[in-house]
Amino acid sequence: MATNVDFDLQKFRVSEAPCTVYYIPEFISAFEEQMLIQNILNAPKPKWTQLKRRRLQNWGGLPHPKGMIAETMPQWLSSSVDKVAQLQVFGDNKPNHVLINEYLPGQGIMAHTDGPLFYPTVTTISCGSHTVLEFFKPRNNDDLERRSDQAESESCDMRREVVVSLLLEPRSLVIVQDDMYSQMLHSIAERSVDQVSSETNIANRAACAKRFQEDGCFERDTRYSLTIRHVPKTRKFNFKF
Ligand SMILES: O=C(O)CCC(=O)C(=O)O
Ligand SMILES: [Fe+2]
């Protein structure tokens, strides 16, 4: 997909979802996808953070309310980050943080919000497999405070009603902003097969490949997601002796 200043993002707006979601299929090529997966898997072992039910890599620094100590992005990641930056969804800011999640079939992420640190924009490139990202209304104000690290330690997944779902195909980019970012929780169910039908209320289904237009069950493969965001507060590392 070519990206330039004349690129019309509005064409990719998911009008069936609350404000605001953009979904761009085939945002990266199959070659770029393979290179990303290869580099993710070649990262040094200490780059992985092992959670109870999935593992992740943090690039660009560790986000912190007091400011992120910024680290240079590796070359293999910066071309994808630049491609997203060209869409200008972060205004004049350049995205400076990438969280990479690995999901084996059957793995997911509990309902959470990404919090005020990155508001109002979060963008995600999917590699290796499709998945279904589900959005929920919060049950109360505390619910909106749930971060993914807290959600991870929750023992039971208290059911909420799905408001809307997005089908994220491999090589796609999804952009979530505004109320959809701040007023709803999102999660990926721990399933190895996703059922797609009119009942599953997938807001971007019309924008997906032909195979997803027919009702059916779709097996997940291993998925790597690159969540690319802008952390406004950064600081230099201080040595304290
Ligand atoms: O893997 C995804 O698409 C979602 C990841 C996510 O929600 C997060 O890391 O906060
Ligand atoms: Fe998230």
Side-chain angles (χ1 to χ4, degrees), residues 99 101 103 109 112 114 124 133 148 168 186 188 223 225 227 229:
L99 179 69
N101 280 294
Y103 304 90
I109 187 166
H112 68 281
D114 290 358
T124 304
L133 187 63
S148 54
L168 307 183
H186 55 275
I188 296 170
R223 173 172 175 268
S225 68
T227 298
R229 355 190 208 205

Side-chain angles (χ1 to χ4, degrees), residues 36 47 57-61 68-82 94-100 226-231:
L36 282 169
K47 269 317 272 189
Q57 293 177 8
N58 240 294
W59 293 95
M68 177 175 82
I69 299 169
E71 292 165 11
T72 316
M73 212 64 86
Q75 188 58 43
W76 61 266
L77 255 187
S78 48
S79 53
S80 302
V81 172
D82 290 347
K94 198 176 165 337
N96 56 358
H97 183 257
V98 183
L99 179 69
I100 297 177
L226 283 66
T227 298
I228 301 171
R229 355 190 208 205
H230 174 251
V231 179

Side-chain angles (χ1 to χ4, degrees), residues 27-167:
F27 180 72
I28 58 166
S29 67
F31 179 73
E32 287 172 300
E33 178 189 30
Q34 281 317 307
M35 292 315 286
L36 282 169
I37 295 175
Q38 217 175 81
N39 280 295
I40 293 166
L41 294 175
N42 283 343
K45 222 165 174 197
K47 269 317 272 189
W48 286 106
T49 302
Q50 181 67 53
L51 305 179
K52 228 192 296 172
R53 303 211 291 260
R54 99 193 115 83
R55 56 178 190 162
L56 55 85
Q57 293 177 8
N58 240 294
W59 293 95
L62 277 181
H64 190 278
K66 282 193 179 153
M68 177 175 82
I69 299 169
E71 292 165 11
T72 316
M73 212 64 86
Q75 188 58 43
W76 61 266
L77 255 187
S78 48
S79 53
S80 302
V81 172
D82 290 347
K83 203 165 175 177
V84 173
Q86 280 178 41
L87 302 177
Q88 305 231 291
V89 286
F90 297 94
D92 290 333
N93 294 317
K94 198 176 165 337
N96 56 358
H97 183 257
V98 183
L99 179 69
I100 297 177
N101 280 294
E102 179 193 65
Y103 304 90
L104 306 178
Q107 294 185 330
I109 187 166
M110 299 283 202
H112 68 281
T113 61
D114 290 358
L117 212 55
F118 315 108
Y119 182 79
T121 303
V122 62
T123 65
T124 304
I125 295 177
S126 295
C127 299
S129 176
H130 80 277
T131 199
V132 176
L133 187 63
E134 300 178 322
F135 289 82
F136 310 84
K137 279 213 178 91
R139 279 181 306 220
N140 50 45
N141 278 346
D142 285 353
D143 223 13
L144 269 184
E145 305 286 311
R146 289 158 57 84
R147 304 284 169 265
S148 54
D149 48 346
Q150 294 158 354
E152 185 69 27
S153 58
E154 192 182 57
S155 56
C156 63
D157 187 14
M158 298 167 282
R159 291 314 303 171
R160 295 173 189 78
E161 206 182 317
V162 179
V163 176
V164 75
S165 298
L166 297 172
L167 177 59

